[in-house]
Amino acid sequence: MLKRLGFLGCVLTTLAAGISVAHAHGEKALEPFIRMRTIQWYDVSWSNPTVEVNDAVTVTGRFHVAEDWPIGVPKPEAAYLNISVPGPVMIRTERYLNGQPWTNSVALRPGADYDFKVVLKARVPGRYHIHPFFNLKDAGPVMGPGRWIEIGGDAAAFSNPVKTLGGEVIDMESYGLATGVMWHGLWLLVGLAWLLWWISRPLFFPRYKMLEAGREAELVTPLDRRIAKVILVAVPVVVLGANAMAQNAYPNTIPLQAALDHIDPLEPVVNTGAVQVKILRAEYRVPGRSMAMTAQIFNGTGHPIRIGEFATAGLRFINAVAVVPSQDETDHLTAAAGLHLDNDAPIQPGERRTVMISATDAIWETEKLDGLIRDADSRLGGLLFFYDDAGQRYITSSSVAVIPRFD
Amino acid sequence: MAVTTLEKLDGTTNAGNLPWYLKDLYKYLGGFAVITVIYVGLRLYQGAYAVATGLDSTLPEYDAYWMRLFYGELITLMSFTAGLWSYLWFTRDRNPAALTPKAELRRHFALTMWISIYTFAVYWAGSYFAEQDNSWHQVVIRDTPFTANHIVVFYFSFPFYIMMGGSAWLYARTRLPTFAQGISLPLTLAVFGPFMILVSVGFNEWGHTFWFREEFFAAPIHWGFVIGGWFALAVGGILLQEVARMTELLDKLEDAS
Amino acid sequence: MTTNPAELAAQPYSGEKARLSRHFDYLILVLAFFLYIGSFHLNVALTVGDWDFWLDWKDRQWWPLITPLMMITFPAAVQSLLWERFRLPMGATLCMCCLLIGSWITRVFAYHYWNYFPINMVLPATMLPSALVLDVILMLTNSMTFTAIFGSAAFALLFYPSNWPMFGMFHVPVEYGGAQLTIADLFGFQYIRAGMPEYLRIIERGTLRTYGQYATPLASFFSALLCTLMYTLWWHLGKWFATVRYLKKI
């Protein structure tokens, strides 16, 4: 039987080997207004796409917490930067927010800016598509951009040593396992022995009849009672003795740590005021899969600026006319020439201009962001990236109600 | 009723060297084997395809590997349930009161085997695949009520044990005099209560839609499942009903070596 | 075992009737084994599951309060059946063995082999010592009331010391990211879980402003009180479910 099951497993695994592993992680089910107007990711990048077991992979990036936080979503009073991987095939060894290490959850401030860094350590060989994402309390996971990571090597070679405050170095992979198995095994043996003591004698019919006949006292013998008394004394003695030994062995223990981490936002990066944007109107043209935004832009910088990119919910619409830094491996979410303006001329310092911006690509539909027009909250949110002639970048976060156009 | 010996009443055909009251033993063991193969097969299928194709319900491969499995399960279970329950009904004993004590005892053994197979199905649904759901939610981001594990636990395991529980109920009602004369309350509770676990899937999915997408197992939206599970305790009442009747029947038989 | 005098006194059958009776026992034992794994495990998983699944939920306040409270349920109900109707003092131990076997199978095959969680991260707690004491108190006192008061209290009070030898070592502190964490917290941080962000944990809520750090004994004694009530409730629930009524219609 086991051999047959093993064979079936091999067949299924072989079949599965021909499948390209999914590169999406359920993010499309979350309402567009949450994906667009909560955590606004950008500049997400990875250190290296190919590693061996025990090697580190670093994910860095930035995000802006939208000012126009949806009314239907609780404010981010507890949030947790997570990584979407198929189980702990990688472990998270370090995590920083604005340069500060953090292990628990954190409160985020709408309108504020943050950068993050997560260091992962490869554990199980395979090819995985991983994303950073935020668990937002009572709202759900908001995904950042993902990329493929290939892990080679031998899973058995993985180790995870950690040094305790007492100076002992432990391997998290096996720490405490033998102790747990030993105690569970011991108590299960005692428990099963007690069950066996009773079920080894005739059970239901005879005992039922004895009770019906009023002879139940005969069903428990003096030996049974002696054994029960031994258990009544011995079990607590063993429990309390083992407990005392454990306390003696580990005198310096602490409770689980439950504090909310406190991390201040960065100095403003988005909406600094240097460039001011007010989106006056947005129309989503269903047949053309195009978001047309009428934006009033004021250039308060000392340089001419151009619009280089519109980013929302992990999608990037690039203005091919402007110079835009490339970001690899997120290409299927990037419309390389998806951003068009009615006037491509640079906006001069001090100039206030109304611009028609069109973000056009099928990814509105494939990523299910076009569902915005059928939502109860149909306000769009996103980041606009401006570049001056020296390569300096200015970012604004804006939001606006969207009108659908079906013609 | 005439008092006879077990030896004299041994009119039924023995399967192999089995005692007459265990005539259905091989079918019973076969039932365990089939259920084990089905569930181990489903678990292997999950191991092979869930990470590769089951992480996003909007992808075409999700339809190919999971939604087809879901529809296949529905069709199979509906067909088998209709077939099994129809068979039990149309082959019912029209006059169970005329049963000999020995035949009735044998049927009590068969009923116990039906209920045992039912509880084996409850094991896979309530223990293994239910808790496995927590494990899978640590991998997948919830984006559908039809996740790679829900398709096994909610839409296969739950209806499967309902099919088995319903069969046990029908078997008792159509073949055993005591259960035919009155409707056994504990048997009804033990079958209909866990049936409500399936209905609680609606509460669960509604809760996850409106409240949270993470997996907090002890959350109130899961307590509908819990309450349904309590009704399993009614199996104790079935045991008492059976023991009372079977000891009566045994007393009507003469001892045999 | 054959010399057990109770067996001789308590066996009204002989020959084939005795064999039939014994075969029925075996059938019921198999039935009960899977029934109580399936139903009791479901009850526990969906009421105290998170505390039992993860190391970083096993705190000193809520874990020792809620675990005995929800784990005394089925044992009380099954005791009422097996003791009252068969004089078998094994209801609690049976439930707990079933629960642990079911939990271990799942932790190994669903968490470890499927999704790569280390088994030490998902070690279940044990209530077998508590269950054994509950069974023998019922047997020795033959009283639901005494068992509810003394057995349930022992059931709750023994929980934490039974498990500290397994889980105490996970509360050793480490310095991580400029702060102190327990090893258990570190498991939660390192081994990535998509559906269990840290903020979901129900641990260490409240300030303990009255009694300093004595959280565990207080939680255990409160649990003992609640278990007394819970035991009584579930004893009667077990009796009610084990009805032998037949109805005219449903």
Side-chain angles (χ1 to χ4, degrees), chain B residues 122-123 126-128, chain C residues 31-43 94-95 97-103 105:
Chain B
V122 166
Y123 157 71
S127 176
Y128 185 77
Chain C
L31 182 158
F33 177 67
F34 289 113
L35 175 73
Y36 294 132
I37 301 184
S39 54
F40 186 35
H41 189 186
L42 184 73
N43 178 66
L94 174 65
C95 286
C97 285
C98 289
L99 173 67
L100 280 172
I101 291 168
S103 296
I105 290 171

Side-chain angles (χ1 to χ4, degrees), chain A residues 77-245:
Chain A
E77 288 167 0
Y80 190 85
L81 176 59
N82 216 331
I83 298 288
S84 179
V85 283
V89 295
M90 312 179 90
I91 63 165
R92 173 174 37 220
T93 54
E94 297 170 53
R95 183 176 59 173
Y96 302 88
L97 193 64
N98 296 349
Q100 185 177 326
W102 60 306
T103 48
N104 283 351
S105 304
V106 72
L108 299 175
R109 194 181 301 166
D113 295 294
Y114 300 86
D115 66 26
F116 68 89
K117 175 181 166 187
V118 179
V119 182
L120 305 166
K121 183 176 175 182
R123 181 163 175 257
V124 180
R127 184 166 184 265
Y128 310 107
H129 201 255
I130 69 169
H131 298 243
F133 74 98
F134 252 103
N135 289 108
L136 300 175
K137 190 174 184 184
D138 298 328
V142 178
M143 284 279 175
R147 78 161 299 170
W148 290 102
I149 299 289
E150 180 114 24
I151 302 175
D154 178 11
F158 180 78
S159 72
N160 184 15
V162 167
K163 190 174 183 182
T164 68
L165 276 184
E168 186 191 1
V169 177
I170 61 166
D171 185 359
M172 298 283 277
E173 293 285 299
S174 58
Y175 181 72
L177 181 60
T179 309
V181 169
M182 190 272 286
W183 280 110
H184 271 291
L186 174 78
W187 289 121
L188 260 175
L189 274 179
V190 177
L192 291 173
W194 176 248
L195 295 181
L196 200 61
W197 175 250
W198 289 97
I199 67 177
S200 62
R201 60 188 83 177
L203 295 176
F204 299 104
F205 293 165
R207 298 182 80 86
Y208 178 81
K209 283 177 77 78
M210 292 287 281
L211 259 95
E212 291 291 295
R215 293 172 57 197
E216 65 268 22
E218 297 171 38
L219 292 172
V220 178
T221 67
L223 180 59
D224 294 333
R225 298 181 73 82
R226 275 199 298 278
I227 291 172
K229 286 171 188 168
V230 169
I231 289 174
L232 186 59
V233 175
V235 167
V237 165
V238 171
V239 164
L240 296 175
N243 179 59
M245 287 168 67

Side-chain angles (χ1 to χ4, degrees), chain B residues 86-112:
Chain B
S86 302
Y87 170 79
L88 287 167
W89 177 250
F90 289 114
T91 60
R92 66 188 180 276
D93 189 341
R94 309 281 170 157
N95 188 14
L99 275 181
T100 63
K102 190 174 173 183
E104 191 178 335
L105 274 168
R106 193 191 68 71
R107 288 189 185 178
H108 271 288
F109 270 85
L111 173 62
T112 311

Side-chain angles (χ1 to χ4, degrees), chain B residues 46-66:
Chain B
Q46 289 179 317
Y49 298 121
V51 168
T53 65
L55 292 176
D56 191 296
S57 65
T58 63
L59 299 177
E61 54 263 37
Y62 197 90
D63 280 337
Y65 283 84
W66 297 102

